[in-house]
Amino acid sequence: MKRSIIITGGTLGAAAGLFMLVNTLPGCRPSTNVQSAVTGDAANKAYVKPGAYDEFYNFVSGGFSGQLSVYGIPSGRMLRNIPVFSVNPESGWGFSEETKPMLMTTHGFIPWDDSHHPELSQTDGVPDGKWCFINGNNTPRIALVDLGTFRTKSIIEIPNSAGNHSSPFTTGNSEYVVAGTRFSIPMGTDEQRDVSIDSYRENFKGTVSFIHPDPATGKLDIAFQVITPGVNFDLSHAGKGPSEGWFFFSCYNSEQAYSLLEVNASQKDKDFVMALNWKKAEEYAKAGKGRMVPGKHYMNWYDDAKHTGISEVRNEVLQLDPRELKDLIYFMPCPKSPHGCDVDPTGQYIVGSGKLAALIPVFQFSKIQEAIAKNDVEGDFMGIPVLKYASVIKGEVKKPGLGPLHTEFDANGFAYTSFFVSSEIVKWSLETLEPVDRVPTYYSIGHLCVPGGDSKKPWGKYVIAYNKITKDRYLPTGPELAQSAQLFSIDGPKMELLLDFPTIGEPHYAQALPAELVKPREVKFFKIEENQHPYAAKGEKEAKVVREGNKVHVYMTTIRSHFTPDNIEGIKLGDEVYFHVTNFEQDWDVPHGFAIKGAATAELLVMPGETQTMKWIPDQIGVTPMYCTDFCSALHQEMQGYIRVSPANSKVELKGVTKSYDAGS
């Protein structure tokens, strides 16, 4: 098995140095004679027999797919691809009239995004199986997925932001999820935003937004924002235990470069980890210490009773300025171009991961507090105090590997760090700060995941690698290969490769928790008597066709194995036809599909007890078939109907019928 190290930008001195280091530093390269195939015993550990359930749900970001994928662990079986920020013709997400509002933004209807970081809701610092948050990096947005329905429940747009990569990380009881900006930009009025790019240092700023999910409904709302100097935020995690009430963010581009960042943002030996006192920020916000600033944004929420998405528009947000509120944020030097920023289960240690460094800094919260109390600073950065590195550090993990990106933890005092350049996972001791084991990954690992590994209660058992490159791991599929996940056992003193499997899109971050926390919440079907959709037909006698000017509403029902009505006449060219399809089934996993020949949208996939709407604008005169797209019974093929479209001036009576007839008549 060949091992690949890929470095882009041949002129980049830092990358060239890493390439040399990976071949010269002792212990930085995993042994090349590691067996690339799993043993029979390892394969048994990942085997889940037919009909048996996996132990864990694994929620994996889709990256450029804009979606969230769900896998079973340890089997690696893909269970669902949840539509979030990108339209999905399989389910009609973003095509049905009910889901279109979910993708509305101040830029209009945006049918795609770049999703990086799932984050599970927590109770007392432990994942609770209620929600999963995920970010849209581009627009930017944050979404909440309901783990009862495995559907996107709420999406909020983040104003005064240009890419919220550092999100959506949650506080210990999901009071807030944060959204930190990747790109700093000029903010304010049109005149304030229309400035020269080379005025970056003077005019460009970032923000950290605190978003509150309503505990009862899951509806997301922006509580307040904290304005920050013009740097790039990468990752974040909330404190826990002694550090509860704080958030920690990795920051790069302290050079404040705005061109050729691969060189110009890699000059300094250290960038920063930012410590933010969110409890103090909350206190200031409630006391009215901030100011309302322009911040138009969409709040989109899906009402499960009405089976409909609702968009609301807000025009302002509350913003706090740490240059005025002096005890809000502090910077701590961190080598070099940090990516990960992770808090151990005790809440005492914060681990930075400088992706251009050959060491791992471990900060100690008690020392951070002492340094703040003593004003033990080495100066300031854009008006923000910079604490002395030696005063806040517990120590450094020396020569662990090259290109550290992300760290997670088990319950036994060990940390697991991914190394992109040296393509490996390194296990090290939080007590001694020394590596104790390493395994190669194939290839160029980004993030990794230990079930519960960023919480107070790691369930451990596995570490899962999310790899960027899969050269020669799978059957070739043209110039692009599937990206992958690899499952390792961490039950014993040595990590052991059990399984690898392809993933959807680009897996960035992921989280996992025991299936038993999610299964009790599952919704098997929607009760038809509780359906409050304004166009629901709760019985076939309520099925009808109604004209309102050039708009025609078809109140349609579906049950195995027919539509009512299934013959529709009186539709005219120029009409807008709305098919409101209600699925009568009250049994688990019996959706019905609905499609019209030549429709310019997508099919509908209507769950039991649900109503969904397709807008159809006929473009041809004649008779057009409609049919069920989801195999629902032995008579699925017979589940069809016809729509007659007549000229615009036609006098054909508008009607919809479903009737029995004698085949011999």
Side-chain angles (χ1 to χ4, degrees):
M1 175 64 67
K2 300 175 183 177
R3 300 193 69 257
S4 297
I5 298 173
I6 292 182
I7 299 179
T8 59
T11 61
L12 178 55
L18 285 176
F19 183 81
M20 294 174 64
L21 282 169
V22 77
N23 290 284
T24 58
L25 284 178
C28 280
R29 290 195 71 181
S31 171
T32 56
N33 63 3
V34 175
Q35 187 176 352
S36 62
V38 298
T39 65
D41 181 59
N44 285 335
K45 292 179 181 179
Y47 178 69
V48 177
K49 67 182 180 181
Y53 287 159
D54 280 283
E55 184 178 359
F56 295 96
Y57 281 107
N58 186 209
F59 298 92
V60 184
S61 67
F64 45 69
S65 80
Q67 314 294 39
L68 176 68
S69 296
V70 186
Y71 297 84
I73 297 297
S75 73
R77 297 182 294 207
M78 182 177 174
L79 305 175
R80 179 155 300 281
N81 189 39
I82 301 173
V84 184
F85 299 112
S86 299
V87 295
N88 186 343
E90 175 188 347
S91 64
W93 178 258
F95 292 101
S96 72
E97 296 304 295
E98 288 79 6
T99 58
K100 286 179 181 178
M102 299 298 290
L103 299 181
M104 283 300 299
T105 75
T106 54
H107 304 282
F109 178 86
I110 302 294
W112 73 280
D113 215 312
D114 181 21
S115 58
H116 284 206
H117 304 129
E119 176 87 347
L120 294 165
S121 60
Q122 295 186 358
T123 300
D124 192 25
V126 179
D128 55 23
K130 184 177 181 181
W131 298 324
C132 184
F133 305 98
I134 190 167
N135 66 326
N137 187 34
N138 180 273
T139 310
R141 292 170 281 184
I142 281 179
L144 178 153
V145 174
D146 187 332
L147 298 186
T149 59
F150 280 64
R151 286 180 164 188
T152 303
K153 178 78 170 178
S154 185
I155 298 179
I156 192 164
E157 186 181 9
I158 313 300
N160 304 315
S161 173
N164 62 316
H165 182 79
S166 185
S167 67
F169 300 101
T170 182
T171 54
N173 287 293
S174 297
E175 301 97 332
Y176 302 104
V177 290
V178 299
T181 48
R182 173 178 173 181
F183 310 103
S184 292
I185 54 170
M187 302 177 194
T189 64
D190 288 350
E191 184 179 41
Q192 291 170 320
R193 295 197 305 270
D194 183 20
V195 297
S196 172
I197 296 172
D198 63 13
S199 70
Y200 186 107
R201 182 177 293 270
E202 295 77 28
N203 293 315
F204 286 51
K205 298 289 185 290
T207 57
V208 174
S209 300
F210 283 76
I211 296 135
H212 173 66
D214 182 88
T217 65
K219 188 174 184 179
L220 298 171
D221 197 4
I222 297 175
F224 56 88
Q225 292 181 323
V226 178
I227 196 165
T228 70
V231 295
N232 299 48
F233 295 104
D234 205 329
L235 292 179
S236 173
H237 277 98
K240 52 181 78 83
S243 55
E244 174 71 28
W246 288 76
F247 249 108
F248 304 94
F249 299 79
S250 60
C251 319
Y252 63 101
N253 193 21
S254 58
E255 296 86 353
Q256 297 189 303
Y258 49 86
S259 179
L260 195 63
L261 264 64
E262 69 168 342
V263 173
N264 295 325
S266 303
Q267 300 295 314
K268 293 184 178 180
D269 182 57
K270 290 184 176 67
D271 287 284
F272 299 120
V273 163
M274 184 177 79
L276 191 159
N277 188 335
W278 71 261
K279 280 289 188 182
K280 181 64 70 173
E282 180 184 59
E283 178 184 316
Y284 284 141
K286 290 179 178 178
K289 294 294 181 70
R291 61 176 62 91
M292 298 302 293
V293 301
K296 185 177 180 181
H297 60 283
Y298 271 74
M299 300 167 53
N300 306 322
W301 175 68
Y302 197 84
D303 186 332
D304 281 329
K306 296 181 179 179
H307 303 286
T308 300
I310 300 166
S311 288
E312 301 175 18
V313 178
R314 297 286 190 271
N315 292 300
E316 293 181 315
V317 291
L318 178 66
Q319 202 167 83
L320 307 175
D321 191 337
R323 293 169 299 183
E324 301 169 2
L325 307 171
K326 297 293 187 180
D327 51 357
L328 272 188
I329 61 176
Y330 302 86
F331 284 125
M332 302 181 294
C334 181
K336 174 180 184 183
S337 297
H339 183 71
C341 184
D342 304 287
V343 181
D344 86 305
T346 71
Q348 185 62 257
Y349 303 118
I350 299 95
V351 178
S353 296
K355 57 185 180 287
L356 297 182
L359 56 82
I360 301 173
V362 181
F363 301 93
Q364 186 166 333
F365 183 72
S366 58
K367 291 188 174 183
I368 295 169
Q369 294 302 98
E370 289 173 12
I372 292 172
K374 294 177 180 178
N375 195 32
D376 191 5
V377 300
E378 61 181 41
D380 73 89
F381 177 79
M382 304 299 289
I384 305 300
V386 179
L387 304 176
K388 289 181 179 177
Y389 182 69
S391 299
V392 296
I393 201 82
K394 167 183 166 65
E396 297 172 341
V397 183
K398 302 290 188 181
K399 298 181 180 179
L402 290 174
L405 287 187
H406 176 212
T407 300
E408 296 223 342
F409 308 91
D410 64 20
N412 302 312
F414 293 104
Y416 301 78
T417 300
S418 58
F419 288 82
F420 179 81
V421 177
S422 51
S423 289
E424 59 183 327
I425 298 173
V426 175
K427 176 181 177 181
W428 52 276
S429 167
L430 277 164
E431 181 181 356
T432 66
L433 303 187
E434 294 179 352
V436 297
D437 191 26
R438 63 182 68 239
V439 290
T441 61
Y442 305 96
Y443 307 97
S444 299
I445 179 177
H447 286 277
L448 45 69
C449 166
V450 173
D454 73 338
S455 74
K456 282 185 179 179
K457 183 182 177 180
W459 289 280
K461 197 163 187 178
Y462 305 106
V463 62
I464 310 159
Y466 303 95
N467 302 332
K468 304 300 184 184
I469 298 167
T470 59
K471 290 181 185 293
D472 58 33
R473 292 299 287 180
Y474 307 122
L475 287 171
T477 53
E480 183 184 17
L481 301 174
Q483 298 190 33
S484 72
Q486 289 187 301
L487 180 74
F488 296 85
S489 169
I490 58 173
D491 271 348
K494 296 290 185 181
M495 292 177 282
E496 180 183 19
L497 176 62
L498 305 181
L499 179 73
D500 62 13
F501 51 94
T503 58
I504 295 291
E506 182 184 3
H508 285 266
Y509 192 46
Q511 293 208 322
L513 81 169
E516 293 304 319
L517 292 178
V518 177
K519 285 166 58 182
R521 301 178 185 273
E522 67 189 3
V523 174
K524 293 187 174 180
F525 56 86
F526 299 102
K527 294 179 181 179
I528 191 69
E529 65 271 17
E530 296 177 0
N531 185 330
Q532 299 175 25
H533 193 289
Y535 292 97
K538 297 185 180 180
E540 291 190 354
K541 290 183 179 180
E542 297 181 17
K544 57 187 175 181
V545 183
V546 178
R547 178 177 290 280
E548 298 174 357
N550 73 325
K551 295 182 179 179
V552 176
H553 294 275
V554 180
Y555 295 69
M556 178 177 283
T557 66
T558 177
I559 195 167
R560 287 168 285 186
S561 297
H562 66 275
F563 298 110
T564 302
D566 66 2
N567 281 199
I568 301 170
E569 298 190 17
I571 305 297
K572 304 175 186 180
L573 282 182
D575 283 344
E576 293 180 3
V577 188
Y578 295 85
F579 289 87
H580 310 288
V581 184
T582 301
N583 181 351
F584 278 178
E585 307 287 354
Q586 293 289 269
D587 191 10
W588 191 19
D589 194 29
V590 189
H592 287 296
F594 178 76
I596 300 171
K597 176 182 175 293
T601 54
E603 67 175 347
L604 297 178
L605 197 60
V606 190
M607 296 300 115
E610 182 181 45
T611 301
Q612 290 287 284
T613 301
M614 176 189 288
K615 179 182 178 181
W616 180 58
I617 300 177
D619 59 2
Q620 295 179 358
I621 293 170
V623 175
T624 299
M626 59 184 180
Y627 67 103
C628 176
T629 55
D630 190 273
F631 202 103
C632 54
S633 73
L635 295 176
H636 165 71
Q637 288 293 99
E638 284 75 13
M639 194 167 178
Q640 65 175 57
Y642 292 101
I643 310 162
R644 178 184 173 187
V645 179
S646 300
N649 60 358
S650 169
K651 303 299 183 182
V652 174
E653 177 188 1
L654 181 67
K655 61 180 180 180
V657 298
T658 297
K659 61 183 180 180
S660 299
Y661 68 100
D662 184 352
S665 62

